[in-house]
Amino acid sequence: MIRLKKKMRLADSKSKRNVLIVGLLTTALLAGTLLTTGTVGLMSTVEAATSTNGAGTTASALTKFKDIKGHWAQATIVKAYDKNLISGYQDGTFRPNAKITRGEYATLLSRATSLEKVQGENPFADLKGHWSESAVTQLVGQGFINANDYPKGFNPNAELTRYEMMKWIANGLIKSGTSFKDAFDDSKNTLLPTPEVNRGTIRAEQIPYLALVRGTGIVGGFEDGSLKPADPTTRAEVSAILLRYMDVEGTDAEKYSDLNEMREVGTTGTNLTTISNYFYTKNSVTVSDLSKGDITLSNNSGILRLHRIIVVDVTKGTPKGVYSSLFIGPDSIQFPGSYMTFADISFTSNIEKSNLLAFSGGLDSALLRFNRMDVKHAEKNGFITIPEMSSNLIKKDVKKRFWTSSVLVAKGGSYYIKANNNDLVQIQNM
């Protein structure tokens, strides 16, 4: 029954998309939209759709936009132009590296979505008469834009931030299917696979929106994995992102493995069962459940509290999973044929001198060990881990929070950890 409902939702979504595309093309041919920014305007969609000279839209895009040849987004811009999402400027340029405004992005997003239009009214006084008014009003009605996010006015000519870009399309995903609403709720307490989570540049309320667009691959992040939500974005980047959004809107959130990892972390404190062949045994609690209580080491060398366990699959020799690059660098020591784990813990030592062997010896299985992460990679991504001189971090009676690492076997493994209140996390594989 669940699969049947999903198929019906997907079929209905595709049908609505086809109807909307036809509607958009018809509207474009009849009326067109002239987007103005300053003294130079964007070409109307009518011009974009009718100026192929018989050579096809692809050839026309390369001919019309004299500044896209050789650009990293050349093929993307051509494709977006072919789908009537974008248009260029009257001087024959596309300006792929130019910053995009809220009004411009709203206009492009209003064309990209296949969500049913909702009749609404413009809630922004400063938007009345602006060329993007109808597009913004459409997006407000459809749920992409929350008017409460702009209490002082929409300011359509302001540069769009990357977070605004991502939040609007995350809202669109949520409106396109209940599975994305479920994924949003599951991701509220997740760990984003970006070093910015350790640098205080991403607020807690931003996390589930960023998780949706990152987990579905709509936004992949920069080379270092960062999302840079406060930065502006460019016309080329928006073109690429909207094309990806069109492919994801209305699909099933469960089909995206990266998102599934983040959802599991958000709901259970680990991505263990999504990325590995491990499963919880009968009567086991989750890591999130265990995190509510302390764990006194069996040799009484310290007291530990477990917050999260992140797993990276290296069974095939190459790190795999949405968190792989965040925790494992090109020079990190790896253990091919296994699962590498990284634990976020708080720890208070009971002994005068820091002794990692004693601390690890107080744990009854290798699910947790007092091994440091790759120190250089940890520092690069903002993690606190055990330094070369562990006494610089771990001191008697001083509670510290940091990350450790361990290794789980790929086959025939069984591990557990027990809290003082007798809650037990127990996992195994075949």
Side-chain angles (χ1 to χ4, degrees):
M1 178 62 74
I2 292 176
R3 291 182 178 177
L4 178 59
K5 288 182 178 179
K6 288 180 179 178
K7 290 181 180 179
M8 292 174 66
R9 287 201 302 268
L10 291 174
D12 183 59
S13 175
K14 290 179 181 178
S15 174
K16 290 177 181 177
R17 175 171 290 177
N18 291 337
V19 170
L20 183 57
I21 289 175
V22 172
L24 284 172
L25 289 174
T26 302
T27 302
L29 291 172
L30 290 176
T33 55
L34 183 63
L35 309 182
T36 58
T37 53
T39 57
V40 182
L42 289 166
M43 291 189 300
S44 70
T45 307
V46 171
E47 293 175 295
T50 59
S51 59
T52 60
N53 296 322
T57 306
T58 298
S60 175
L62 290 173
T63 301
K64 276 190 170 294
F65 302 150
K66 57 189 178 183
D67 58 347
I68 69 170
K69 189 172 183 179
H71 191 274
W72 66 263
Q74 175 184 316
T76 296
I77 294 167
V78 168
K79 185 176 180 180
Y81 181 81
D82 185 49
K83 290 180 177 291
N84 292 305
L85 288 180
I86 62 170
S87 47
Y89 289 88
Q90 292 174 338
D91 62 358
T93 63
F94 178 72
R95 305 180 191 178
N97 298 323
K99 302 299 186 291
I100 196 166
T101 67
R102 290 173 182 164
E104 289 172 336
Y105 180 60
T107 301
L108 301 184
L109 181 54
S110 70
R111 298 172 186 165
T113 180
S114 66
L115 293 183
E116 183 178 356
K117 289 188 178 181
V118 178
Q119 189 68 31
E121 296 184 1
N122 171 21
F124 304 112
D126 65 341
L127 192 64
K128 294 187 183 300
H130 192 270
W131 53 263
S132 68
E133 181 178 3
S134 63
V136 175
T137 302
Q138 173 189 323
L139 295 186
V140 171
Q142 290 171 316
F144 286 90
I145 298 174
N146 185 345
N148 293 330
D149 289 343
Y150 302 95
K152 297 181 180 180
F154 186 70
N155 194 1
N157 296 322
E159 284 187 353
L160 182 82
T161 67
R162 287 176 55 80
Y163 177 62
E164 288 176 297
M165 173 188 69
M166 291 184 277
K167 183 175 182 179
W168 293 7
I169 58 179
N171 283 333
L173 291 180
I174 293 170
K175 295 296 182 180
S176 76
T178 57
S179 68
F180 286 111
K181 177 61 169 63
D182 293 339
F184 176 86
D185 292 338
D186 289 346
S187 302
K188 289 180 179 179
N189 295 314
T190 196
L191 177 72
L192 287 174
T194 168
E196 292 154 307
V197 298
N198 299 314
R199 298 171 183 162
T201 56
I202 292 179
R203 302 188 305 274
E205 66 269 19
Q206 296 177 325
I207 289 175
Y209 297 101
L210 301 180
L212 279 189
V213 297
R214 175 64 181 85
T216 54
I218 295 175
V219 175
F222 292 88
E223 188 175 354
D224 63 352
S226 62
L227 294 172
K228 300 182 180 179
D231 285 7
T233 189
T234 66
R235 288 166 51 79
E237 291 169 345
V238 164
S239 299
I241 286 166
L242 287 181
L243 287 174
R244 297 185 202 125
Y245 173 76
M246 291 175 68
D247 289 336
V248 176
E249 185 187 82
T251 60
D252 190 339
E254 293 182 5
K255 68 181 284 188
Y256 302 98
S257 59
D258 287 354
L259 182 57
N260 288 336
E261 283 191 66
M262 285 189 272
R263 293 177 69 175
E264 187 184 0
V265 172
T267 55
T268 72
T270 181
N271 60 333
L272 179 79
T273 64
T274 301
I275 195 64
S276 77
N277 59 4
Y278 277 86
F279 57 89
Y280 293 102
T281 62
K282 186 178 180 180
N283 299 322
S284 174
V285 302
T286 67
V287 171
S288 293
D289 294 326
L290 197 75
S291 69
K292 300 171 185 177
D294 287 335
I295 302 166
T296 300
L297 304 191
S298 61
N299 57 11
N300 203 34
S301 59
I303 299 173
L304 177 151
R305 179 164 291 199
L306 175 64
H307 302 291
R308 288 189 179 114
I309 295 179
I310 301 298
V311 183
V312 177
D313 180 0
V314 287
T315 57
K316 304 299 183 183
T318 301
K320 178 183 176 183
V322 71
Y323 296 103
S324 57
S325 61
L326 185 64
F327 286 91
I328 300 177
D331 299 320
S332 300
I333 296 175
Q334 299 178 29
F335 298 86
S338 66
Y339 297 102
M340 295 183 65
T341 65
F342 303 89
D344 176 14
I345 68 171
S346 292
F347 182 69
T348 304
S349 172
N350 290 336
I351 57 180
E352 291 293 340
K353 187 176 180 180
S354 176
N355 187 328
L356 301 184
L357 289 177
F359 300 146
S360 290
L363 294 165
D364 294 329
S365 80
L367 180 56
L368 292 179
R369 281 289 182 262
F370 279 78
N371 301 320
R372 62 180 57 89
M373 291 175 56
D374 179 322
V375 175
K376 288 185 178 179
H377 192 68
E379 290 177 350
K380 174 184 174 184
N381 288 329
F383 288 104
I384 297 174
T385 191
I386 303 170
E388 296 295 336
M389 291 290 293
S390 65
S391 59
N392 290 338
L393 175 70
I394 302 174
K395 303 178 186 298
K396 185 181 179 182
D397 298 328
V398 179
K399 189 174 184 178
K400 291 288 186 178
R401 186 166 176 172
F402 52 91
W403 287 82
T404 65
S405 68
S406 189
V407 178
L408 306 181
V409 298
K411 187 176 181 180
S414 179
Y415 304 90
Y416 73 94
I417 186 166
K418 191 175 184 179
N420 294 351
N421 61 4
N422 290 322
D423 278 347
L424 177 73
V425 167
Q426 188 164 9
I427 61 171
Q428 69 179 61
N429 63 3
M430 299 297 185

